[in-house]
């Protein structure tokens, strides 16, 4: 049975942290790279009208040009971007939150075709931008972008994925000035002076500051909106020379329209494109990542030297959390063994008690599969606590056997009568712990831990009363005495 539970545990879905049990939704609207704040405001106003008409929404707030402030500790904060608007939507209750999220997601997919939208509930645990991520790293932008495109195609082929995209890929439109240095020196215009003039005309030059109560408002000197927003009139901008005269920009420079990298993410100083996406089904992110990773074998085999594909997202954070627990595991085991040795005063009995701890995995696997509950970081902590509960019951039973042996009973009689005598307290304490976990099963955060403890403790309590006495008798070679078996003291008293 224990071997089957180990095999069956591989069928349990893995999870990092469940979503938070809060009514808020975070909605991100990403316009194409290089979009102006005016275009972002236009899409913001369109989406605000939809939110205002939804009766299940209590309130909302929009943050244009960047993400929301950290009002919630695990919030994945966004950097400032003129092509981003982030909404924090508060629904009227947790019951309607998922329905509102699905409704808004469909609206973004069908009515906002020029915007990459995402509706996401608040998460527990360390912030993870997207649940499934694969990072492509290398030196050349073109090669990294090509490899990332192949990885994105493999991710889109998985039916459990949706909204697969690259965190940076779009080239930004730029206007470049190619200065003819010979002409510029001839008329007496330095490159720094030309830069100052263009910055003043297009962006503005701070001349002073206006104080309004406790705020300082900068006053800029710049050209009129019609002049600084028109690309056709850039070459007509007058540039002052050292002689005090003015020359048009077209006499000393030529204008070209080009594309360049608007954003470059680096990891360990290497350009890195992250291919990421959301889940399209109830399958957990680590499971989907494990499904996609084998499909990247051929892509990895053809990678040029110096290029690599790394796994990120929830599965990476889960491994990091697991590593933090594994780091203290040896100390924990040493402490447990030391306490058992001090109490039992026997190495053999300590081993017997330790052998009962893994029995809880049978019930954990059974309950997680039956109730379709994923195994995550919180559930793992529950399993660690479960092992202590099981060993506690084993200590009670072994200690009772030692007391009966000290009272002069035969070994066989001590094993049988101790099991019967301790049956009621072990079962009652286990039942009390199981019943106490029932309310926690309704919690998004504590639910997996409660299910794991309930299943493990239920099965382990029954097996402890059967397996441990048999193991104790086999370990110490206790045989049934000749003649008719004696009735246990507890049963004789009941009769």
């Amino acid at each position: 049975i224990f071997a089957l539970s180990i095999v069956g545990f591989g069928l349990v879905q893995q999870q990092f942290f469940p979503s938070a049990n809060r009514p808020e939704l975070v909605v991100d609207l990403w316009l194409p790279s290089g979009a102006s704040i005016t275009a972002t405001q236009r899409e913001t106003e369109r989406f605000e009208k939809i939110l205002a008409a939804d009766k299940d929404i209590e309130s909302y707030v929009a943050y244009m040009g960047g993400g929301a402030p950290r009002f919630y500790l695990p919030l994945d904060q966004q950097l400032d971007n003129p092509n981003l608007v982030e909404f924090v939507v508060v629904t009227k209750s947790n019951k309607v939150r998922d329905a509102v999220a699905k409704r808004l997601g469909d609206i973004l997919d069908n009515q906002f075709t020029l915007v990459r939208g995402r509706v996401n509930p608040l998460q527990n645990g360390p912030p993870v931008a997207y649940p499934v991520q694969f990072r492509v790293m290398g030196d050349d932008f073109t090669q990294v972008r090509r490899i990332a495109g192949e990885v994105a195609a493999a991710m889109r082929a998985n039916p459990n994925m949706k909204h697969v995209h690259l965190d940076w890929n779009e080239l930004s439109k730029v206007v470049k000035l190619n200065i003819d240095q010979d002409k510029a020196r001839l008329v007496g215009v330095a490159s720094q002076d030309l830069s100052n003039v263009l910055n003043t005309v297009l962006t503005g030059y701070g001349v002073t500051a206006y104080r309004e109560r406790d705020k300082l408002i900068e006053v800029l000197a710049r050209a009129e909106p019609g002049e600084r927003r028109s690309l056709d009139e850039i070459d007509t901008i007058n540039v002052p020379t050292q002689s005090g005269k003015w020359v048009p920009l077209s006499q000393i420079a030529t204008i070209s329209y080009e594309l360049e990298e608007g954003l470059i993410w680096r990891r360990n100083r290497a350009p890195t494109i992250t291919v990421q996406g959301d889940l399209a089904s109830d399958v957990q992110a680590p499971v989907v990542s494990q499904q996609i990773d084998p499909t990247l074998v051929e892509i990895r085999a053809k990678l040029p030297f110096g290029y690599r594909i790394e796994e990120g997202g929830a599965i990476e954070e889960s491994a990091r959390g697991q590593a933090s627990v594994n780091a203290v595991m040896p100390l924990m085991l040493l402490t447990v063994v030391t306490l058992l040795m001090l109490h039992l005063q026997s190495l053999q009995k300590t081993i017997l008690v330790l052998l009962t701890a893994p029995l809880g995995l049978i019930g954990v696997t059974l309950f997680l599969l039956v109730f379709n509950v994923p195994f995550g970081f919180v559930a793992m902590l529950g399993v660690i606590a479960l092992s202590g509960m099981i060993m506690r019951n084993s200590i009670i039973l072994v200690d009772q056997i030692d007391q009966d042996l000290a009272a002069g009973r035969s070994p066989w009689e001590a094993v049988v009568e101790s099991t019967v005598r301790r049956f009621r307290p072990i079962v009652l304490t286990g039942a009390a712990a199981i019943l106490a976990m029932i309310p926690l099963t309704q919690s998004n955060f504590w639910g997996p831990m409660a299910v794991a403890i309930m299943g493990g403790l239920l099965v382990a309590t029954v097996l402890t009363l059967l397996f441990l006495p048999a193991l104790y008798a086999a370990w110490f070679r206790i045989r049934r005495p000749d003649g008719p078996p004696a009735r246990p003291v507890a049963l004789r008293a009941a009769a």
Side-chain angles (χ1 to χ4, degrees):
I1 296 176
F2 180 70
L4 289 176
S5 68
I6 296 177
V7 176
F9 191 77
L11 303 177
V12 178
Q13 294 194 61
Q14 303 297 307
Q15 183 187 57
F16 182 37
F17 273 94
S19 60
N21 193 20
R22 293 174 58 122
E24 293 95 343
L25 293 171
V26 178
V27 184
D28 293 338
L29 272 63
W30 288 90
L31 276 72
S33 179
S36 65
I37 193 68
T38 304
T40 304
Q41 182 178 4
R42 183 170 57 250
E43 299 297 331
T44 301
E45 293 173 352
R46 284 185 57 200
F47 196 68
E48 284 179 336
K49 294 178 181 178
I50 296 174
L51 296 178
D54 198 315
K55 298 180 180 180
D56 292 330
I57 294 177
E58 182 73 25
S59 62
Y60 62 89
V61 60
Y63 298 91
M64 285 196 308
R70 192 182 291 277
F71 67 94
Y72 178 66
L73 185 59
L75 179 68
D76 179 40
Q77 286 190 287
Q78 304 293 338
L79 299 178
D80 291 341
N81 273 299
N83 60 322
L84 166 67
V85 55
E86 185 168 86
F87 289 85
V88 178
V89 180
V90 182
T91 59
K92 291 188 176 180
S93 67
N94 292 333
K95 297 180 180 179
V96 301
R97 185 193 67 176
D98 294 338
V100 172
K102 185 180 184 306
R103 191 158 58 242
L104 294 180
D106 294 338
I107 291 174
L108 291 176
D109 292 340
N110 299 325
Q111 301 182 24
F112 289 77
T113 56
L114 299 180
V115 174
R116 174 164 53 83
R118 187 193 188 201
V119 182
N120 195 36
L122 296 178
Q123 302 295 322
N124 286 314
V128 178
Y130 283 83
V132 180
Q133 299 179 8
F134 287 89
R135 293 188 294 267
V136 181
M137 308 175 66
D139 296 328
D140 183 69
F141 296 154
T142 304
Q143 285 277 31
V144 172
R145 185 177 283 109
R146 179 188 63 81
I147 298 170
E150 297 178 0
V151 174
M155 294 177 63
R156 293 189 182 101
N158 190 292
N160 297 316
M161 291 295 302
K162 67 177 182 179
H163 300 157
V164 177
H165 65 280
L166 281 59
D167 64 342
W168 63 275
N169 183 38
E170 302 167 346
L171 298 177
S172 298
K173 301 176 182 179
V174 295
V175 178
K176 284 193 174 182
L177 295 180
N178 300 310
I179 303 174
D180 189 333
Q181 296 294 341
D182 293 335
K183 291 183 179 181
R185 285 193 297 268
L186 184 62
V187 299
V189 176
S191 298
Q192 183 64 42
D193 296 336
L194 178 58
S195 176
N196 292 336
V197 171
L198 293 177
N199 183 65
T200 301
V201 173
L202 300 178
T203 305
Y205 175 75
V207 294
T208 184
Y210 169 72
R211 179 181 293 275
E212 183 174 341
R213 295 182 181 178
D214 58 342
K215 297 180 180 179
L216 284 177
I217 302 175
E218 187 178 16
V219 178
L220 299 177
R222 60 183 181 182
E224 295 181 356
E227 297 179 5
R228 67 174 185 268
R229 294 177 182 175
S230 176
L231 295 179
D232 297 333
E233 297 183 3
I234 292 180
D235 56 353
T236 62
I237 295 177
N238 290 323
V239 181
T241 65
Q242 294 180 356
S243 61
K245 298 181 179 180
W246 299 79
V247 296
L249 180 62
S250 59
Q251 289 192 5
I252 59 175
T254 57
I255 299 175
S256 61
Y257 303 95
E258 300 180 8
L259 297 174
E260 68 176 13
E261 302 289 349
L263 176 66
I264 300 175
W265 282 105
R266 298 180 185 270
R267 189 178 182 89
N268 296 330
R269 298 189 295 179
T272 303
I273 293 181
T274 301
V275 188
Q276 53 196 8
D278 283 316
L279 301 175
S281 63
D282 294 333
V283 182
Q284 297 298 320
V287 177
V288 178
S289 296
Q290 293 171 358
Q291 293 175 353
I292 296 174
D293 191 61
T295 64
L296 306 179
V297 173
E298 295 183 3
I299 301 176
R300 286 192 172 100
K302 298 183 297 182
L303 290 179
F305 178 78
Y307 293 80
R308 62 186 183 275
I309 300 175
E310 296 181 352
E311 203 168 21
I315 194 170
E316 181 186 39
E317 293 295 333
S318 179
R320 190 174 301 171
Q322 180 68 44
S324 64
V325 176
N326 293 340
V328 299
M329 192 68 72
L331 178 60
M332 183 195 72
L333 291 176
L334 179 61
T335 304
V336 170
V337 172
T338 302
L339 293 175
L340 290 176
M341 288 290 294
L342 292 175
H343 180 75
L344 298 175
Q345 301 291 321
S346 171
L347 177 61
Q348 297 184 71
K349 295 174 183 178
T350 298
I351 296 176
L352 289 178
V353 172
L354 291 174
L355 288 176
T356 60
L359 297 179
L361 184 61
I362 301 174
V364 171
T365 303
L366 178 62
F367 270 54
L368 292 181
L369 289 176
V370 170
F371 293 100
N372 193 25
V373 176
F375 183 83
F377 187 79
V378 180
M380 179 186 63
L381 299 181
V383 171
I384 295 175
L386 173 66
S387 63
M389 301 177 189
I390 298 173
M391 288 188 289
R392 175 204 60 193
N393 293 337
S394 301
I395 293 173
I396 294 174
L397 187 55
V398 171
D399 183 70
Q400 184 62 49
I401 294 175
D402 291 342
Q403 293 182 24
D404 287 358
L405 290 174
R409 291 187 174 88
S410 65
W412 180 265
E413 186 181 15
V415 172
V416 175
E417 292 191 1
S418 297
T419 305
V420 174
R421 189 179 296 112
R422 288 300 180 183
F423 176 84
R424 181 180 297 175
I426 291 177
V427 170
L428 289 180
T429 54
I434 292 172
L435 294 175
M437 292 292 168
I438 292 179
L440 292 179
T441 57
Q442 305 302 315
S443 171
N444 287 359
F445 188 81
W446 301 109
M449 182 198 72
V451 172
I453 292 179
M454 290 171 63
L457 194 57
L458 176 63
V459 175
T461 299
V462 176
L463 292 181
T464 298
L465 295 170
L466 299 175
F467 170 74
L468 183 59
L471 180 63
Y472 189 98
W475 189 284
F476 292 101
R477 298 173 182 173
I478 299 175
R479 303 289 183 180
R480 181 194 296 268
D482 297 334
R487 300 176 67 187
V489 173
L491 296 183
R492 292 201 303 267

